[in-house]
Amino acid sequence: MKPFTYARPDDAAGAVDLVAGDPDAAFLAGGTNLVDHLKLGIASPTTLVDVTSLTSDRIDDLPPAHGDTDGGLRIGAAVRNSDLAAHGRVRAEYPVLAEALLQGASGQLRNMATTGGNLLQRTRCAYFGDRTTPCNKREPGSGCSAIGGWARYHAILGATHEPAGQACVATHPSDMAVAMAVLDAQVQVLGPDGERTIPLEEFHRLPGDDPTRDTVLRHGELITAVDLPAAPIATSSTYRKVRDRASYAFALVSVAAAMEVVDGPDGPVVADVRIALGGVAHTPWRATRAEDALRGGPATDEAFRAAAAAETAGARPIESAVGGNAFKVPLVAGTLAAALRTLAHDPSTDPTEEPG
Amino acid sequence: MDATLTLVVDGRPTTLTVDTRTTVLDALREHLDATSPKKGCDHGQCGSCTVLCNGRRVLACLSLAVAHDGDEITTAEGLAPEGERHAVQVAFLEADAYQCGYCTPGQICSAVGMLDEAAAGHPSAVSGDVAAPPTLDRTEIAERMSGNLCRCAAYVNIVTAIERVHAGETAR
């Protein structure tokens, strides 16, 4: 670990000034990702600016937006993952978010990890974390070891495969962010030029020609809060995660879904639906193709699987003798269908249920 | 770069000067002779360094000491008054909830923190309805303890020990 200076300014604006004015400075919050990266030598800031006590650790009710009867929630950036998952309104009104948080990491880590820090987690790609291997995200132009390597946890959508010096097939590891993607969350940011709001859907970026950048945040910009708009559809929402062990593991594939089903003349119909996928891309992946395929159509297992197929039509799995990821295409279909069956509340859509 | 800070370890405030790179785990083990928290993976993957920080279970290996100036750190040694045992420690003994013992101090601190979380009504990933108050059965205990690995695989008896404490079968 490289030596660093530790600073704890009096307020968030002071922290922003310190980091913005020093290209080698970094914010420190819960530390669950950054401290590990300091040890691994893949992050080496010369100044760490501790913001843990400088942003809100409260979850506040937001007033109703114009035309709405209910208001949403403002989640302070310093709110711990465990406190967010345990919050009464989150559990009752945004169950997808509570479920996603509880399926991430461990009890200890959830007590440490903050809302702001969770959004800024870096990929868990094994090659990114190993300085002895080429990685364009860590060392631009060095190549991508995951393409043709151990790519079990890697992207099938939106990745960069060519040219070799820009290739990146890393995935974003957060469960929380996948849930927030279907909640149309808004990220509140304080920067050297003042405040701005970034929709969560635009917050993370695909690798494109610069895989070193995970988000659209500029150096020195600090997340101060995440707003959840009121979302009646979210009362019927869920998070389903598939991983290599039953707990305390990152997602191979995950699905965040919210769905409203109404009765139609020929059976239940999808009135509205929101879907995001985890473990498949460099960002939480809002599955708009699948949503469009489902909206207004029958809420059947067949339709759920067809919607997944529409979303993954452009997938580019990685072939590898030591661990490719072509299995993710059918896994998305199965996981998405299972999540939506749970929300349809109708055993007739579930092929695993025997008719009574 | 050195920093001077105070940690309240098992009730005793201690001021020390350490390199800013020092984790809480290294501060405890290398500077304060508090060796019950163990260094397993040192990367937040095994849970053997688990301590309570201001009453909540955390990983000492991913905590920088300089960021915890003034915090109360409780290790397995400080859970009960000198010469006494905490109910979770008694239950681990009675249920034979360990083999080599290396992960045990972390398991015990984690169990103490976890029982408080459950008592506060926190749900888990296996709670059927995330909005409902949880019921702490064996499946819930196993899920909530998943951050503590035991390479001897004493899990069955670890869950039994915690189950007994929760049921009030072991006096605190």
Side-chain angles (χ1 to χ4, degrees), chain A residues 1 4 36 39 91 247-248, chain B residues 20-21 43-44 61 130 146 148:
Chain A
M1 204 188 301
F4 56 81
D36 189 29
K39 294 183 183 194
R91 290 160 71 178
S247 185
Y248 199 15
Chain B
T20 53
R21 292 171 288 184
H43 288 280
C61 78
V130 78
S146 72
N148 291 82

Side-chain angles (χ1 to χ4, degrees), chain B residues 19-34:
Chain B
D19 188 291
T20 53
R21 292 171 288 184
T22 309
T23 61
V24 169
L25 180 61
D26 285 338
L28 291 170
R29 292 184 57 84
E30 308 298 332
H31 297 266
L32 300 173
D33 202 28

Side-chain angles (χ1 to χ4, degrees), chain A residues 141-181:
Chain A
S142 62
C144 174
S145 302
I147 296 177
W150 193 73
R152 189 169 173 76
Y153 282 85
H154 291 71
I156 56 171
L157 294 167
T160 300
H161 289 254
E162 298 93 12
Q166 293 175 357
C168 182
V169 293
T171 50
H172 195 269
S174 171
D175 295 298
M176 183 193 81
V178 180
M180 286 182 172

Side-chain angles (χ1 to χ4, degrees), chain A residues 1-6 32 35-36 39-40 48 50 82-83 85-86 91 102 106-109 111-112 247-248, chain B residues 1 20-21 42-45 50 56-57 59 61-63 66-67 110 117 121-123 125 130 132 143 146-148:
Chain A
M1 204 188 301
K2 298 274 175 61
F4 56 81
T5 302
Y6 172 87
T32 57
V35 174
D36 189 29
K39 294 183 183 194
L40 292 168
L48 275 188
D50 189 344
S82 48
D83 293 329
R91 290 160 71 178
L102 293 168
S106 66
Q108 293 94 314
L109 288 163
N111 280 341
M112 303 169 72
S247 185
Y248 199 15
Chain B
M1 264 48 100
T20 53
R21 292 171 288 184
D42 208 26
H43 288 280
Q45 297 175 5
T50 302
R56 305 182 73 168
R57 54 179 174 159
L59 300 178
C61 78
L62 292 183
S63 304
V66 66
S110 186
E117 292 162 11
H122 289 203
V130 78
E143 161 61 24
S146 72
N148 291 82

Side-chain angles (χ1 to χ4, degrees), chain A residues 184-195:
Chain A
D184 292 337
Q186 306 286 314
V187 184
Q188 306 293 345
V189 169
L190 178 66
D193 302 323
E195 296 175 336

